[in-house]
Amino acid sequence: MAVQQSRPITIVIAEKNPLLQSSLIKIFSGDERFTVAAVTSDGERFIEAVEKTPFDVGVIGWEMPYLDGRGVLQTLRSRVDAPRLIVYTGSPNPDVPRQAMTLGAAGFCSKREPPEQLLDTIIAVAAGRMVFPFIDVSSLASDPLAGLTPRERELLAALAGGLTNQQMAGQLDISLNTVKFHLKNLYDKLGVGNRAQAVAFYLKGRESR
């Protein structure tokens, strides 16, 4: 749903760098077109904010601890009520905009651009438009393991080690629900239906390296 211009655009930020967090908060707080509902330092906390806080646009990093930008997009892509997401990153990888679009992001903005570019991107995305540089969306990575987030790799190794969901939650200091949604994304990416098949996939991948 596009945001009406008569009210501020509500934003939640996921940014691992504390200094950049502060800078973004300062920029948004000085502009009456925006209001910041929450600031998180990683993708897992961002997903928790989605569950608790209604907002219009999420500004997320690509390289984040625990759950990266790819993982956030993968988690939220099937939710009909998900906020629109903008990937805001300094990653030098020229393929990131294509990956973000493929995973359902509504916009992309490089940290190398002036801050005004991010503000313009948020306004456009909130109004229902998509904002991306010119990119080639004709191909996807063919190796499912290459598309796993660092957290998903941890969980896959833990599955192979025989850990239960509860044990993984305790070992990684995350909630049981967080473990479950990571596992769902993991199974979807690998094209498997349960943990036994995921472990078999993992072991086969190790043997082939």
Side-chain angles (χ1 to χ4, degrees), residues 174-182:
I174 56 180
S175 73
L176 189 58
N177 281 339
T178 300
V179 169
K180 289 177 179 176
F181 81 65
H182 280 315

Side-chain angles (χ1 to χ4, degrees), residues 100-191:
M101 176 185 280
T102 303
L103 290 169
F108 176 90
C109 184
S110 171
K111 290 178 179 176
R112 293 186 290 273
E113 299 287 346
E116 292 75 23
Q117 180 66 38
L118 176 61
L119 303 187
D120 290 344
T121 301
I122 292 171
I123 291 170
V125 165
R129 297 192 291 276
M130 294 181 69
V131 183
F132 286 90
F134 176 77
I135 54 181
D136 178 10
V137 295
S138 62
S139 63
L140 290 172
S142 58
D143 179 11
L145 290 175
L148 299 183
T149 67
R151 180 64 95 197
E152 287 164 355
R153 290 175 183 273
E154 281 185 298
L155 288 173
L156 185 54
L159 283 179
L163 271 63
T164 66
N165 288 6
Q166 193 68 56
Q167 288 170 328
M168 286 188 281
Q171 180 173 300
L172 301 175
D173 193 28
I174 56 180
S175 73
L176 189 58
N177 281 339
T178 300
V179 169
K180 289 177 179 176
F181 81 65
H182 280 315
L183 289 180
K184 180 183 182 301
N185 287 340
L186 176 61
Y187 296 164
D188 287 346
K189 288 182 180 180
L190 298 183

